[in-house]
Amino acid sequence: MMLSRVANSIYWMSRYLERAENVARFIDVNTHLMLDLGLSVEETQWYPLIATSGDDEDFNKRYATADEKSIVRFLTFDDKNPNSILSSIYRARENARTVREVIPVEVWEKINELYHLTQAHSRKRSVEALQAYYTEVRQSGTHFAGMMINAMSRGDGWHFARMGQLLERADKTARLLDVKYFLLLPRGEQVDSPYDNVQWGAVLKSVNALEMYRQEYHSINYRDVAQFLLFSKLFPRSVRFSLDYATVCMEAICEQQPNCAALNDMKALRTRLMEADATALIASGLHEFIDEYQLGLNRLDQSVYETFFKD
């Protein structure tokens, strides 16, 4: 079993990189969605991105308006927002720096390169001027994952890194689904309308799911999108897939621990998800289910800390 300090740094390095990639992905897709819908400046919807991040309380305290300029700054370069891209990449770099001896050198170099790229773009304010930067952050996440897969031994370090990435992904996919379903819920006559379907298509694009979704379903509608993003066993950004493989990682980490509390908590959360069904959830309250699931993830975060990282 590796030192708790090392395990903690690798776990959070991976989570912060996944977080930065997801924020860049959401901004990029939201920009294209507004262009696709032909919305005017007054009609644009930036605030749901804050709701997706879960930092709306912090944003509302410090910003007077929720326009493109303030939200792009808050999500991208605000160093007081612990979940901005800048903060996430800075923290990923600090964690990587402390474990340079146990991660592939290419991973450290890529994170360092991404940090300096972020500093170089930090004076830009419009989403238009930042498109190339967001693309680079997204691609860096893919490169990081590829380097870890191809250059890291499958020991505890790998499993902590992979588990951190997957738990962050499970959290963000559920938040994204909840925001579209709950905050952007259309009026009755708009359900399953072309406008509604374009928005659901944007949700799928934001997690690179559109092509894989179309291979399973003929049309885009909220019932099938919820089913796919929550319960697909095969799509790597679904909540089910993320929890399945995070459990595999934790089982490997806990191999020598007969009664691993974090593993028990993760299995309980996964079982709750496996027993659910999108059609029944939509009828009984999808938002309430996701809310409860997010609380379960928070409890699991605490359990991971208590089991592996607490001195």
Side-chain angles (χ1 to χ4, degrees):
M1 184 73 182
M2 69 191 332
L3 292 172
S4 60
R5 175 189 62 79
V6 175
N8 184 49
S9 293
I10 292 178
Y11 175 81
W12 281 105
M13 172 193 76
S14 190
R15 283 201 75 150
Y16 284 130
L17 286 173
E18 178 73 17
R19 190 170 302 176
E21 180 191 344
N22 276 306
V23 175
R25 187 184 295 278
F26 295 162
I27 295 173
D28 196 24
V29 171
N30 196 58
T31 304
H32 286 98
L33 170 64
M34 289 186 293
L35 291 173
D36 290 345
L37 293 173
L39 299 178
S40 65
V41 174
E42 293 75 21
E43 295 173 313
T44 56
Q45 299 185 64
W46 286 98
Y47 193 76
L49 291 180
I50 302 295
T52 305
S53 73
D55 296 317
D56 39 334
E57 186 176 341
D58 181 28
F59 177 85
N60 293 333
K61 284 181 182 175
R62 297 195 289 114
Y63 289 82
T65 58
D67 56 11
E68 176 193 315
K69 184 178 178 181
S70 62
I71 288 177
V72 165
R73 172 167 174 69
F74 180 76
L75 292 177
T76 310
F77 298 122
D78 188 338
D79 58 6
K80 294 180 181 176
N81 173 12
N83 297 314
S84 70
I85 295 177
L86 183 146
S87 296
S88 297
I89 291 174
Y90 173 78
R91 293 181 181 196
R93 181 173 180 263
E94 287 302 296
N95 279 290
R97 186 174 58 76
T98 64
V99 293
R100 286 179 63 176
E101 72 279 7
V102 297
I103 60 174
V105 64
E106 294 87 356
V107 171
W108 161 250
E109 289 175 351
K110 190 65 186 174
I111 295 174
N112 207 33
E113 180 184 311
L114 188 58
Y115 171 77
H116 289 294
L117 179 76
T118 301
Q119 294 293 324
H121 283 77
S122 61
R123 292 185 180 277
K124 296 179 180 178
R125 292 291 178 265
S126 75
V127 70
E128 183 180 6
L130 288 165
Q131 281 304 302
Y133 169 70
Y134 292 131
T135 300
E136 186 67 28
V137 174
R138 292 175 61 174
Q139 291 177 345
S140 293
T142 303
H143 293 159
F144 165 73
M147 286 185 289
M148 296 288 281
I149 289 171
N150 292 318
M152 195 164 183
S153 300
R154 292 333 189 233
D156 284 347
W158 157 262
H159 290 301
F160 274 112
R162 181 73 170 140
M163 184 170 70
Q165 178 194 42
L166 290 167
L167 290 180
E168 183 69 25
R169 186 173 294 179
D171 175 69
K172 288 295 181 290
T173 298
R175 283 183 187 277
L176 182 68
L177 187 61
D178 195 30
V179 167
K180 171 62 184 92
Y181 184 78
F182 187 65
L183 295 183
L184 300 180
L185 192 65
R187 295 185 298 273
E189 68 273 17
Q190 291 180 327
V191 173
D192 286 337
S193 69
Y195 181 88
D196 190 36
N197 292 342
V198 168
Q199 286 195 329
W200 282 113
V203 169
L204 291 167
K205 285 180 184 176
S206 69
V207 289
N208 277 3
L210 183 60
E211 289 78 14
M212 294 302 104
Y213 172 88
R214 287 197 181 281
Q215 289 183 18
E216 289 195 40
Y217 301 96
H218 296 296
S219 62
I220 295 177
N221 61 73
Y222 68 96
R223 294 170 294 274
D224 291 340
V225 173
Q227 179 72 32
F228 187 72
L229 292 184
L230 281 175
F231 304 116
S232 172
K233 298 177 185 176
L234 303 177
F235 182 65
R237 288 188 176 275
S238 79
V239 175
R240 169 70 188 275
F241 184 99
S242 298
L243 276 186
D244 281 353
Y245 283 85
T247 304
V248 170
C249 292
M250 196 180 287
E251 285 174 337
I253 295 167
C254 295
E255 193 173 14
Q256 303 301 322
Q257 298 184 37
N259 188 23
C260 183
L263 178 59
N264 294 336
D265 290 339
M266 184 177 283
K267 285 182 175 178
L269 185 64
R270 179 169 169 261
T271 299
R272 174 75 182 90
L273 188 74
M274 289 169 63
E275 291 173 345
D277 171 78
T279 302
L281 287 179
I282 288 170
S284 62
L286 182 60
H287 170 68
E288 288 74 13
F289 174 81
I290 292 178
D291 216 25
E292 182 188 336
Y293 162 77
Q294 294 283 356
L295 290 175
L297 271 181
N298 292 341
R299 288 193 290 270
L300 179 58
D301 281 344
Q302 183 63 29
S303 185
V304 167
Y305 169 75
E306 298 279 348
T307 304
F308 302 117
F309 306 147
K310 188 177 180 181
D311 291 330

